[in-house]
């Protein structure tokens, strides 16, 4: 039967590793023990100052296209999920399209913070289902380390940089995207903001820079934590119920990589073995829209995910935004 197929996945993280101890050595009032215990993060990747989001997205896209055995010239649609595009205009996806040399495609960004990759999958799914486009490249890419305040220990320790991609098509064989589910709550999204570049913070002045309004702001992280756990669980259940698959039959949970304690909590409440959560946050931190895309690619490439297995991808992020995707690999 013709359904949405994943023809290839790819990812890229920059080579520069910054450990928790490096942050302490740089003068941050924290410790490896605190960060590892409260978040699960041991290190993160930090992009070179000359590298923009589209550069990493390009690497991830090339790897996904290579796995799909496809040329960039065959792609009809390019969607980049990001809250750190190279520039507000052109979009990050436009920069990526130019670098890929894919003039036949249409490209645009999706802004849904850490949920962005699933939102972008959802949009690609609609276009492919209604046959507007036949082949889509969906990418999540972020340079989060460039927007955090490195003096804010409650926030900066969480984030990292990278990109993950997937090539989707309508077809009869191969890993299948069974469904996507997306939600938002704009009335309750104020505790996680990235005001930089928006109309509330422009024109950029000495005063606004001195006030630090261009940084990622996170208020009441522990409240965000609790809301995230609830929406992760809702999203797992929603995708499972939609596909009439009992949660205990799902082989892998490849979530947005926010905080290991969230998944320990979910594991206990929903009786899901911790080994079923595929996690990369210990080595990469939270890479916003790229996190789950990178984790999916790594799970595929290291052989963890095998043909026929069921994968649930729950996400949660600023906005608020949340949702999930279900795959049969
Ligand atoms: O993709 C979604 C994006 N957002 C998130 O995923 C964030 C969700 N929230 C979290 O992951 C957690 O709330 C944090 C990791 C951000 C914080 O952990 P917590 O266990 O909720 O800590 P807390 O905010 O309740 O702070 C406890 C203490 C405070 O000290 P006092 O007031 O008890 O003296 C903080 O100042 O920990 C202190 N603290 C730190 N200490 C050492 C906060 N950050 C640090 C740090 N190192 N890096």
């Amino acid at each position: 039967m013709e359904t949405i197929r994943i023809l290839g996945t790819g990812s890229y993280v920059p080579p520069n590793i910054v450990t928790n101890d490096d942050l302490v050595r740089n003068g941050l009032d924290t410790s490896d023990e605190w960060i590892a215990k409260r978040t699960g993060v041991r290190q993160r990747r930090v992009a070179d100052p000359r590298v923009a989001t589209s550069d990493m997205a390009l690497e991830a896209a090339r790897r996904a296209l290579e796995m799909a055995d496809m040329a960039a010239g065959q792609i009809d649609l390019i969607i980049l999920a990001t809250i750190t595009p190279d520039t507000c205009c052109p979009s990050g996806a436009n920069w990526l399209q130019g670098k890929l040399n894919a003039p036949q495609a249409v490209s645009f960004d999706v802004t849904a913070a850490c949920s962005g990759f699933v939102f972008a999958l959802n949009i690609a799914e609609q276009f492919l289902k209604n046959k507007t486009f036949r082949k889509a490249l969906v990418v999540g890419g972020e340079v989060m380390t460039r927007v955090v305040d490195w003096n804010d220990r409650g926030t900066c320790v969480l984030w990292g940089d990278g990109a993950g991609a997937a090539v989707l098509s309508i077809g009869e064989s191969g890993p299948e995207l069974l469904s996507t589910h997306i939600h938002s709550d704009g009335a309750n999204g104020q505790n996680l903001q990235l005001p930089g570049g928006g109309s509330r913070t422009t024109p950029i002045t000495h005063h606004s820079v001195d006030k630090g309004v261009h940084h990622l702001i996170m208020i009441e992280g522990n409240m965000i934590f609790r809301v995230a756990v609830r929406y992760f669980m809702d999203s797992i259940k929603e995708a499972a119920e939609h596909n009439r698959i009992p949660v205990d039959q799902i082989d892998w949970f490849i979530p947005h990589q926010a905080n290991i304690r969230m998944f320990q909590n979910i594991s206990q409440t929903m009786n899901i073995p911790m080994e079923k959560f595929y996690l990369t946050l210990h080595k990469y931190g939270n890479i916003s829209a790229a996190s789950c895309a990178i984790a999916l690619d790594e799970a595929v490439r290291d052989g963890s995910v095998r043909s026929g297995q069921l994968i649930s991808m729950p996400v949660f992020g600023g906005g608020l935004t949340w949702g999930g995707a279900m795959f049969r690999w």
Side-chain angles (χ1 to χ4, degrees):
M1 201 175 72
E2 281 217 322
T3 57
I4 314 276
R5 306 288 169 166
I6 314 294
L7 304 187
T9 61
S11 62
Y12 174 83
V13 288
N16 182 27
I17 296 172
V18 174
T19 65
N20 293 342
D21 284 332
D22 289 333
L23 298 180
V24 175
R25 270 191 289 277
N26 286 343
L28 193 69
D29 180 16
T30 188
S31 65
D32 175 51
E33 193 199 351
W34 191 97
I35 302 170
K37 196 162 153 223
R38 298 287 184 116
T39 72
V41 178
R42 306 305 299 241
Q43 59 184 48
R44 71 279 304 136
R45 299 298 179 99
V46 176
D48 183 277
R50 288 162 301 184
V51 171
T53 296
S54 69
D55 299 312
M56 295 190 297
L58 177 67
E59 285 306 318
R62 278 187 179 145
R63 290 170 192 185
L65 286 165
E66 194 184 343
M67 189 189 282
D69 197 18
M70 204 186 278
Q74 294 172 264
I75 293 289
D76 308 308
L77 172 68
I78 300 170
I79 309 179
L80 175 64
T82 186
I83 52 170
T84 53
D86 304 33
T87 51
C88 287
C89 178
S91 72
N94 293 157
W95 285 107
L96 174 61
Q97 178 186 15
K99 288 173 185 175
L100 271 173
N101 192 19
Q104 77 293 340
V106 63
S107 60
F108 55 86
D109 285 0
V110 166
T111 305
C114 304
S115 309
F117 186 69
V118 165
F119 275 59
L121 283 178
N122 176 278
I123 296 165
E125 184 187 20
Q126 314 309 319
F127 278 125
L128 294 176
K129 270 186 182 163
N130 71 21
K131 308 258 165 71
T132 306
F133 300 114
R134 302 258 345 149
K135 291 184 168 53
L137 171 67
V138 175
V139 188
E142 306 277 17
V143 193
M144 295 304 294
T145 63
R146 221 166 278 161
V147 295
V148 297
D149 176 357
W150 284 102
N151 296 311
D152 176 4
R153 68 176 184 171
T155 306
C156 72
V157 300
L158 300 172
W159 306 93
D161 303 334
V167 176
L168 280 69
S169 175
I170 290 278
E172 293 188 352
S173 61
E176 201 176 347
L177 175 64
L178 298 177
S179 67
T180 57
H181 311 269
I182 57 174
H183 303 277
S184 60
D185 177 7
N188 287 300
Q190 285 71 35
N191 281 2
L192 197 55
Q193 291 192 26
L194 181 51
S199 55
R200 273 194 201 288
T201 49
T202 43
I204 296 164
T205 61
H206 285 291
H207 180 64
S208 66
V209 171
D210 289 346
K211 273 175 66 186
V213 294
H214 306 97
H215 290 133
L216 182 84
I217 301 163
M218 197 172 73
I219 305 160
E220 296 187 60
N222 42 24
M223 215 255 293
I224 297 173
F225 184 100
R226 285 195 295 276
V227 175
V229 168
R230 193 172 85 231
Y231 284 137
F232 271 127
M233 292 199 291
D234 285 355
S235 301
I236 290 170
K237 286 179 203 157
E238 181 182 28
E241 278 164 21
H242 177 90
N243 292 290
R244 296 194 177 85
I245 293 166
V247 171
D248 64 7
Q249 281 183 24
I250 297 169
D251 298 288
W252 286 104
F253 296 83
I254 306 186
H256 164 55
Q257 310 280 317
N259 184 322
I260 195 166
R261 286 191 296 120
M262 291 178 187
F263 307 117
Q264 288 164 342
N265 202 311
I266 294 165
S267 160
Q268 237 177 9
T269 312
M270 295 185 72
N271 203 15
I272 298 170
M274 246 344 251
E275 307 80 67
K276 284 194 173 186
F277 287 89
Y278 190 93
L279 299 177
T280 55
L281 60 88
H282 56 290
K283 49 184 183 172
Y284 301 147
N286 178 343
I287 318 180
S288 184
S291 265
C292 59
I294 293 171
L296 175 65
D297 179 52
E298 293 203 356
V300 169
R301 285 178 192 262
D302 72 13
S304 298
V305 167
R306 294 191 307 277
S307 178
Q309 288 191 323
L310 288 162
I311 304 170
S312 171
M313 179 183 275
V315 292
F316 168 84
L320 299 171
T321 55
W322 67 99
M326 181 76 92
F327 306 88
R328 189 190 305 278
W329 215 258

